[in-house]
Amino acid sequence: MVVCGDDGLAHRLAAELRAVYGEQVTLVVPPGRRTVRPPVVGRARAVSAALLDRVVMAAVNRGNGTGGGPGGGSGGEPQGTERLVEAAEPTEAVLAEAGVERAAALALVYDDDETNIRAALTARRLNPRLRLVLRLYNRRLGQHIEELLDQAAALATAGGADGDGPDASVTVLSDADTAAPALAAAAVAGTTKVVQTEGLMLRAVEHPPRPDGRTAPSGLATLALLSATGNDPAFADGSENSGEHGPQLLPDAESVRAARGRGTVVLEQVSYAGPSLPAGRGSGGVVPPFASLFSRRLRWSLAGLVGCVLALAVALSVVTGIHPLGALYLTLLDLFAINDPAKGDPTGRQVLQLLSGLVGLLLLPVLLAAALEALGTFRTASALRKPPRGLGGHVVLLGLGKIGTRVLTRLRELNIPVVCVESDPEARGLATARRLRVPVVLGDVTQEGVLEAAKIHRAHALLAVTSSDTTNLEAVLYARGVRPGLRAVLRLYDDDFATAVYRTLRAAHPHALTRSRSVTHLAAPAFAGAMLGRQILGAIPVERRVLLFAEVQVGRHPQLAGKTVGEAFEPGLWRVLAVDAAGVDGEVSDVYVLRGEDRVVLAATRRGLAELSPTRALRS
């Protein structure tokens, strides 16, 4: 495996492939990045070693052999090796030095889309059979590039392929798209963590422990047993270094029954109920809604004047006996002062004409105000909105970069009110906020008064996703000073730092919900799964660990083929959630025997996904 990148995702992905999946990895990074955030790789190795030990013990209990393999030892499954190549750009010479011509897969995770595309085109020419995984922020461009590279691979291998080599698939992923649903779900109560494949929609719901100390009843399946009881903030973070106090992923039925005082994450099936946003709301079209053209006070003034005109027309019809339409016509003429004076007419007619002229004088400033308001609304439709008065129960989103923009889109899809705070007037997410008509406060969040302008004292949650850990932490600490019970979600890069921050905030504010999330931690499993040729449907965080959902073909995995759905369940590793059984009518139960042509949706841990590798099965 070859990984090329210039930020933390490259290091995290290399550690994931090497320590969890046991792959040989070549990491290409710019010069001087050798020591950038080294704890990421070290921690991943230590965590993975602990996971490997538990897996080997489980394998011994199942009687699957000694767990040996290349580079194996008494500690269990082997860890892969890593070779480091330092280069400023992934040129053809650099890719050749990294061994792309002999590699099975290449991940290009540079922060710049153009760099990834250029390197992908070069790599496809060097190795038409290479499996490519690209990190692209532009979704539409990613679809076109994926089709282009797939077509190039098909033409290059036509007629000479023997089918024994790796598939030359191309997968375009975005770390922002992968992490945004989890960040949004962590910030908002009542939202669900959803994984969707074709017509099936599944959601993971967290249930607190019952008053009697027993775990809550499960839905379709119990995905995890949570680590904390709510009174123990020391291990409530669920970090991967918390040992036996951490969450238990994919427990068996006996573990669920034996658990006491622990919350659960259960799986439920939901049906699609149409778009979450009502028609006409949040569309952000070029023409604003009619109600937004005029203020409420102006609309009431116009309605009052219309009522006066109708009342004058009715009175004129009664006094003079004119047809109501004719009376309305004469009233309008009097209103706009273009009718002849009512000299010699009855007194009632003269009085009504004077009243109509007076109403006309009142109408002029109202019409002028309406014109000015409409003009101002059209001029500011393309500008940033300010938080309206009386706003409350909203989410304050800090940062409108790549991650923040995707999170903002996700929150608006859920019809959740949002107020954004951004310090850079040229941030890429400002256009999205303008299109969605989301209020934005421009200013440095560390400066006094900025969070107050975002109505933080009436907000429901604070979601800090800027690229600076210290900025996110400072904003949360300041917001907690304003409102101690505020729900806070931080984007923190370093796991040790995130754990320390979480525990301190939880101890200082035990009744307030605090979550810390790492984008690379959430995105790396999806990228690693794509490099191994798996379709990762989603990643759901369970405290500070990640549960993956993947769609696999049964025939490619000996661990599944020929077993019933119930027998295919491996506690702590994987669990079959859904089966797409071709030619089978009715529901599929636990006694259904999986066939090679079936496709299944799995919930799996990182270790479980690695164990499902066909090559790993051959080693065993």
Side-chain angles (χ1 to χ4, degrees):
M1 303 290 177
V2 179
V3 178
C4 302
D6 57 357
D7 60 5
L9 181 58
H11 292 276
R12 174 79 71 173
L13 178 56
E16 186 92 11
L17 292 169
R18 185 186 69 254
V20 178
Y21 295 96
E23 298 289 345
Q24 298 179 1
V25 182
T26 298
L27 178 62
V28 180
V29 293
R33 296 296 179 93
R34 177 190 297 268
T35 58
V36 170
R37 299 189 185 274
V40 172
V41 178
R43 282 195 306 275
R45 182 184 298 113
V47 171
S48 301
L51 290 174
L52 285 169
D53 290 341
R54 292 197 293 268
V55 170
V56 170
M57 294 301 298
V60 171
N61 294 334
R62 294 193 304 267
N64 287 341
T66 61
S74 59
E77 287 287 343
Q79 292 187 17
T81 59
E82 178 179 311
R83 183 168 70 96
L84 184 67
V85 176
E86 293 188 345
E89 295 183 359
T91 62
E92 182 173 350
V94 171
L95 293 177
E97 180 184 356
V100 168
E101 297 178 352
R102 305 178 304 276
L106 167 66
L108 297 165
V109 293
Y110 289 94
D111 192 50
D112 180 56
D113 286 3
E114 182 179 352
T115 301
N116 293 328
I117 294 173
R118 185 168 59 248
L121 296 175
T122 303
R124 178 59 82 213
R125 186 176 68 253
L126 293 176
N127 186 356
R129 288 184 169 275
L130 184 67
R131 183 184 298 120
L132 291 174
V133 179
L134 278 71
R135 172 191 184 183
L136 295 182
Y137 181 79
N138 191 323
R139 300 175 179 176
R140 183 175 301 177
L141 177 61
Q143 294 176 355
H144 295 312
I145 292 299
E146 188 172 345
E147 295 174 358
L148 175 64
L149 293 174
D150 282 338
Q151 184 177 3
L155 294 176
T157 58
D162 54 5
D164 295 332
D167 63 291
S169 62
V170 180
T171 305
V172 176
L173 298 174
S174 168
D175 56 336
D177 288 334
T178 304
L183 290 170
V188 183
T191 58
T192 55
K193 305 169 184 179
V194 177
V195 175
Q196 184 174 4
T197 170
E198 298 178 0
L200 181 65
M201 182 178 293
L202 304 172
R203 65 178 179 182
V205 182
E206 183 175 323
H207 290 295
R210 297 191 304 191
D212 58 3
R214 302 179 62 184
T215 58
S218 62
L220 296 179
T222 301
L223 298 180
L225 293 174
L226 300 179
S227 60
T229 63
N231 298 321
D232 181 18
F235 298 100
D237 60 299
S239 62
E240 293 179 341
N241 295 327
S242 57
E244 62 181 2
H245 298 278
Q248 182 179 354
L249 302 184
L250 301 178
D252 55 15
E254 183 178 353
S255 299
V256 174
R257 288 192 299 267
R260 289 293 186 272
R262 301 179 68 175
T264 59
V265 178
V266 302
L267 187 70
E268 296 179 356
Q269 182 177 354
V270 295
S271 58
Y272 182 69
S276 55
L277 278 178
R281 290 192 60 186
S283 59
V286 177
V287 180
F290 177 78
S292 66
L293 291 177
F294 311 110
S295 65
R296 183 178 180 182
R297 181 179 302 176
L298 185 58
R299 293 198 300 269
W300 278 109
S301 299
L302 290 173
L305 288 174
V306 171
C308 291
V309 172
L310 294 177
L312 289 171
V314 172
L316 182 60
S317 176
V318 172
V319 171
T320 62
I322 304 176
H323 190 275
L325 292 180
L328 178 62
Y329 176 68
L330 291 177
T331 301
L332 292 176
L333 292 178
D334 293 335
L335 189 70
F336 296 112
I338 57 178
N339 196 14
D340 294 333
K343 295 180 179 180
D345 290 348
T347 304
R349 165 70 177 123
Q350 293 176 345
V351 172
L352 291 175
Q353 188 177 55
L354 291 175
L355 292 177
S356 299
L358 178 61
V359 173
L361 293 177
L362 297 176
L363 181 62
L364 287 178
V366 175
L367 292 178
L368 179 60
L372 293 178
E373 280 199 5
L375 178 61
T377 301
F378 277 108
R379 292 185 61 183
T380 58
S382 60
L384 297 174
R385 300 181 61 195
K386 295 182 180 180
R389 294 181 180 179
L391 179 64
H394 58 287
V395 174
V396 177
L397 176 63
L398 307 184
L400 284 176
K402 294 196 304 182
I403 304 299
T405 303
R406 292 293 193 246
V407 173
L408 172 61
T409 303
R410 177 63 177 169
L411 289 173
R412 290 308 296 133
E413 288 175 352
L414 297 172
N415 197 26
I416 297 169
V418 186
V419 174
C420 301
V421 179
E422 175 57 52
S423 60
D424 183 10
E426 302 296 329
R428 69 172 70 199
L430 292 179
T432 301
R434 187 180 296 112
R435 176 176 57 85
L436 296 176
R437 301 180 60 77
V438 174
V440 178
V441 177
L442 286 177
D444 187 353
V445 71
T446 61
Q447 299 297 323
E448 187 175 356
V450 175
L451 283 178
E452 284 82 355
K455 315 292 184 184
I456 191 65
H457 57 285
R458 290 198 296 266
H460 174 75
L462 173 65
L463 184 53
V465 294
T466 69
S467 58
S468 172
D469 286 2
T470 56
T471 299
N472 295 336
L473 177 58
E474 183 176 356
V476 170
L477 292 177
Y478 182 83
R480 281 285 168 81
V482 176
R483 186 177 179 184
L486 181 70
R487 173 179 283 109
V489 179
L490 297 83
R491 171 192 176 189
L492 297 178
Y493 182 91
D494 188 87
D495 281 346
D496 291 338
F497 182 55
T499 301
V501 168
Y502 179 89
R503 291 178 178 176
T504 304
L505 289 176
R506 185 62 180 265
H509 304 278
H511 300 293
L513 180 63
T514 304
R515 291 289 183 266
S516 58
R517 295 287 182 260
S518 169
V519 173
T520 58
H521 183 77
L522 295 173
F527 281 82
M531 293 187 71
L532 296 172
R534 298 186 179 91
Q535 183 180 356
I536 303 297
L537 302 175
I540 288 180
V542 179
E543 297 177 358
R544 291 196 57 78
R545 296 182 65 182
V546 175
L547 193 62
L548 304 175
F549 291 79
E551 181 178 333
V552 300
Q553 190 77 25
V554 172
R556 299 184 58 186
H557 303 280
Q559 302 94 329
L560 303 176
K563 294 184 178 180
T564 65
V565 173
E567 294 171 347
F569 172 42
E570 293 291 343
L573 296 178
W574 64 77
R575 182 169 190 163
V576 177
L577 302 178
V579 181
D580 185 5
V584 177
D585 296 331
E587 296 183 357
V588 175
S589 63
D590 285 348
V591 297
Y592 173 78
V593 179
L594 298 174
R595 302 172 300 173
E597 60 270 22
D598 295 338
R599 291 185 303 124
V600 297
V601 176
L602 294 171
T605 61
R606 283 186 170 105
R607 184 67 255 169
L609 200 61
E611 286 292 307
L612 278 175
S613 170
T615 57
R616 181 67 58 85
L618 291 177
R619 292 175 188 172
S620 299

